[in-house]
């Protein structure tokens, strides 16, 4: 039997063109560098996916910085999808955003962002095209990846930003027969639920987290994190989320400086 695919998800890196840039008091460059180094220390993924808000300031320099951090430790396949802080033109020019197939699994990026808007949207044309892709290009188990959640996560201020056409998307994916999961970012926290026949998964940010189930903006005490997915040939999924403790983050920063 073939080995399971190991997929690493990172999200909401919020990088700046200045590597000293900070958000909520966190140097996002150093934090992302620590996360990616920690993640690949023991396991090199077969695929890395990055689910949006890769930039806080969406300059082309920022996206090159993202790639430089990744490529220092990982040379394999990469798929990126934009978030509400990203801008289409530099993102699509610099980062890989195409459908990919690996070992019988299919990975379909969905662009849920609109430049300079916080909430998520997918057009009717996108939904029609996604249906065609799922019907004609994805004969095996499939993961759709985007930035915005299509459903509520029970955090009132964040739920306002969810994908406005989320119900249509979930119905489409559930009726396809092959979609096993929709995975995204945006919410700066882990979330796992079963909706119909598929998993809905979010991952923690590589810089800081939002307080779960909070009706207003609040930052949690959890450190930066990432998600692993283990995808078996039979279409089943195992997944875990890893957080870097504050002490481990400091250690990773020291390692990176050597």
């Amino acid at each position: 039997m073939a080995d399971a695919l190991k997929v690493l998800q990172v999200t909401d890196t919020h990088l700046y063109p200045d590597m000293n840039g900070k958000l909520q008091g966190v140097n996002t460059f150093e934090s992302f560098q620590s996360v990616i180094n920690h993640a690949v220390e023991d396991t090199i993924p077969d695929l890395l996916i990055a689910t949006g808000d890769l930039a806080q300031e969406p300059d082309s320099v920022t996206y090159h910085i993202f790639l430089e951090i990744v490529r220092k430790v990982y040379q394999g396949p990469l798929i990126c999808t934009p978030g509400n802080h990203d801008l289409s033109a530099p993102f699509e020019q610099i980062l890989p955003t195409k459908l990919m197939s690996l070992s019988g699994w299919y990975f379909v990026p969905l662009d849920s962002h609109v430049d300079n808007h916080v909430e998520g949207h997918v057009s009717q044309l996108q939904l029609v095209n996604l249906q065609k892709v799922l019907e004609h290009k994805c004969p095996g188990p499939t993961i759709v990846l985007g930035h915005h959640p299509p459903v509520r996560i029970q955090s009132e201020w964040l739920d306002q930003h969810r994908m406005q056409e989320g119900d249509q998307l979930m119905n489409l994916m559930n009726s396809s027969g092959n979609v096993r999961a929709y995975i995204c970012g945006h919410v700066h926290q882990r979330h796992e639920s079963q909706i119909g026949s598929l998993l809905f998964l979010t991952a923690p940010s590589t810089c800081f987290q939002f307080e779960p189930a909070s009706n207003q903006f609040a930052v949690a005490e959890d450190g930066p994190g990432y998600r692993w997915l283990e995808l078996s040939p039979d279409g089943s999924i195992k997944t875990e989320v890893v957080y870097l403790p504050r002490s481990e983050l400091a250690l990773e920063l020291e390692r990176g400086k050597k």
Side-chain angles (χ1 to χ4, degrees):
M1 177 180 275
D3 292 336
L5 276 176
K6 296 179 178 63
V7 178
L8 174 63
Q9 180 192 5
V10 296
T11 194
D12 297 273
T13 57
H14 290 281
L15 297 171
Y16 292 83
D18 179 354
M19 288 180 279
N20 295 311
K22 291 185 178 182
L23 187 63
Q24 295 294 318
V26 176
N27 181 307
T28 58
F29 170 84
E30 291 183 348
S31 184
F32 178 45
Q33 186 172 246
S34 298
V35 164
I36 200 78
N37 289 345
H38 185 273
V40 304
E41 186 172 8
D42 296 320
T43 303
I44 301 297
D46 299 302
L47 172 66
L48 175 64
I49 60 177
T51 50
D53 279 2
L54 305 188
Q56 180 65 17
E57 293 182 3
D59 187 285
S60 60
V61 173
T62 307
Y63 297 122
H64 283 297
I65 287 173
F66 173 87
L67 282 178
E68 287 170 9
I69 294 173
V70 169
R71 292 311 187 195
K72 280 183 179 178
V73 294
Y74 171 76
Q75 301 300 321
L78 170 66
I79 305 177
C80 302
T81 190
N84 50 284
H85 284 279
D86 296 307
L87 286 179
S88 295
F91 193 101
E92 294 172 359
Q93 289 167 4
I94 295 166
L95 301 174
T97 60
K98 302 299 184 184
L99 179 152
M100 187 177 296
S101 174
L102 287 173
S103 301
W105 278 82
Y106 295 84
F107 302 89
V108 181
L110 180 70
D111 185 351
S112 65
H113 102 295
V114 177
D115 282 356
N116 302 309
H117 286 75
V118 177
E119 68 276 4
H121 288 282
V122 290
S123 67
Q124 291 305 305
L125 179 59
Q126 281 179 286
L127 291 171
V128 169
N129 288 339
L130 175 61
Q131 184 172 16
K132 291 178 180 178
V133 166
L134 295 177
E135 288 177 353
H136 302 295
K137 296 185 178 181
C138 301
T142 300
I143 286 180
V144 179
L145 52 136
H147 179 68
H148 292 85
V151 298
R152 296 177 184 273
I153 62 162
Q154 307 310 313
S155 184
E156 184 177 336
W157 73 278
L158 282 169
D159 287 340
Q160 298 177 62
H161 308 155
R162 71 188 186 281
M163 195 187 305
Q164 301 303 297
E165 302 79 12
D167 289 345
Q168 295 178 64
L169 174 66
M170 296 303 290
N171 290 337
L172 189 161
M173 292 189 295
N174 265 308
S175 64
S176 74
N178 284 337
V179 179
R180 298 293 189 265
Y182 176 81
I183 62 176
C184 68
H186 187 66
V187 296
H188 285 238
Q189 61 192 267
R190 69 179 297 169
H191 177 91
E192 299 165 6
S193 58
Q194 186 83 28
I195 301 177
S197 61
L198 59 86
L199 282 172
F200 165 48
L201 304 171
T202 73
S205 165
T206 64
C207 48
F208 62 87
Q209 313 313 324
F210 297 142
E211 191 69 44
S214 176
N215 288 333
Q216 57 190 8
F217 176 86
V219 175
E221 294 183 359
D222 296 317
Y226 54 92
R227 181 182 285 280
W228 279 109
L229 298 104
E230 186 176 297
L231 310 180
S232 297
D234 65 2
S236 61
I237 299 174
K238 294 180 181 179
T239 185
E240 68 169 330
V241 166
V242 179
Y243 290 95
L244 273 68
R246 299 299 181 183
S247 57
E248 187 68 26
L249 176 59
L251 181 59
E252 289 296 333
L253 287 173
E254 281 302 312
R255 288 173 179 165
K257 292 175 182 177
K258 293 180 179 178

